[in-house]
Amino acid sequence: MPMRPAVFFKVTDLGDVRTTLGLRRNVDGSVQSLAEAVPDGDTLQVNLEGSGSLRFLGVDTPEMRLSNASVGSERWRAFFGDPALLDGFALEPGLRADLALRLGDGAAENHRRHAEAAEAGLTAMVEADMTALAATPETFRVFVAFSYEIFDRYARFLAFVNRNQRDPN
């Protein structure tokens, strides 16, 4: 089997999102014939190649990496200890003062704790879904529903996600 590209999407300097696509594959992995892949004059059935990221719509958890600082690192603690962190936000004075009091090592540790718990929680949910579906990492699939925007500025899919399962009826 040919190697798939390591990069799924690329964001250009202008902010455009680009990718490469192959002709759609059959269930057995073989590439469809042109007669199968071209159903009409304005549609080409394709296969997304490589790997990418998917950002859940409706879910927001603490980040494991911020401003080129990994969770728990010295840069991480400095990031949460810097009052300039608030400068990029239009905040009312009372809220700014309250948030400024919450910055510091305690904030970094709190954020780290919640970020790690969120990551562990998602891992546990995916493992439970795989178990419920008797799926392996190779066979597990997710159902993806898009909203207004398909990609964010990091070329991640933006979607509502659920495990892909057959309708029980």
Side-chain angles (χ1 to χ4, degrees):
M1 177 176 260
M3 292 288 294
R4 292 186 171 184
V7 177
F8 192 50
F9 297 104
K10 177 178 181 2
V11 180
T12 69
D13 293 339
L14 300 175
D16 298 327
V17 178
R18 309 259 170 109
T19 190
T20 58
L21 304 169
L23 294 178
R24 181 183 274 176
R25 295 180 179 272
N26 295 308
V27 174
D28 66 2
S30 64
V31 177
Q32 287 187 341
S33 69
L34 281 180
E36 294 170 305
V38 180
D40 58 40
D42 65 2
T43 305
L44 178 63
Q45 298 189 76
V46 298
N47 182 60
L48 300 173
E49 298 191 23
S51 61
S53 295
L54 187 140
R55 176 81 161 72
F56 299 158
L57 290 175
V59 177
D60 190 17
T61 65
E63 302 296 331
M64 291 292 288
R65 191 166 181 76
L66 294 169
S67 188
N68 296 319
S70 296
V71 67
S73 69
E74 186 56 42
R75 289 186 69 184
W76 180 270
R77 285 187 290 282
F79 180 79
F80 280 99
D82 186 358
L85 175 65
L86 303 175
D87 291 346
F89 301 96
L91 303 172
E92 294 186 15
L95 178 57
R96 179 178 294 279
D98 184 61
L99 291 174
L101 292 173
R102 298 172 190 268
L103 293 175
D105 259 354
E109 175 56 28
N110 188 51
H111 191 104
R112 182 195 61 76
R113 184 169 41 89
H114 288 289
E116 289 173 349
E119 181 182 49
L122 177 56
T123 300
M125 282 193 284
V126 172
E127 287 173 343
D129 286 345
M130 288 174 62
T131 299
L133 298 172
T136 65
E138 293 77 23
T139 63
F140 181 69
R141 298 291 183 267
V142 292
F143 172 81
V144 179
F146 299 102
S147 187
Y148 179 72
E149 294 178 294
I150 304 297
F151 300 105
D152 67 7
R153 65 181 174 166
Y154 304 108
R156 297 178 297 189
F157 280 119
L158 295 172
F160 297 101
V161 181
N162 197 358
R163 65 187 186 197
N164 191 36
Q165 61 191 21
R166 293 178 184 226
D167 185 21
N169 296 326

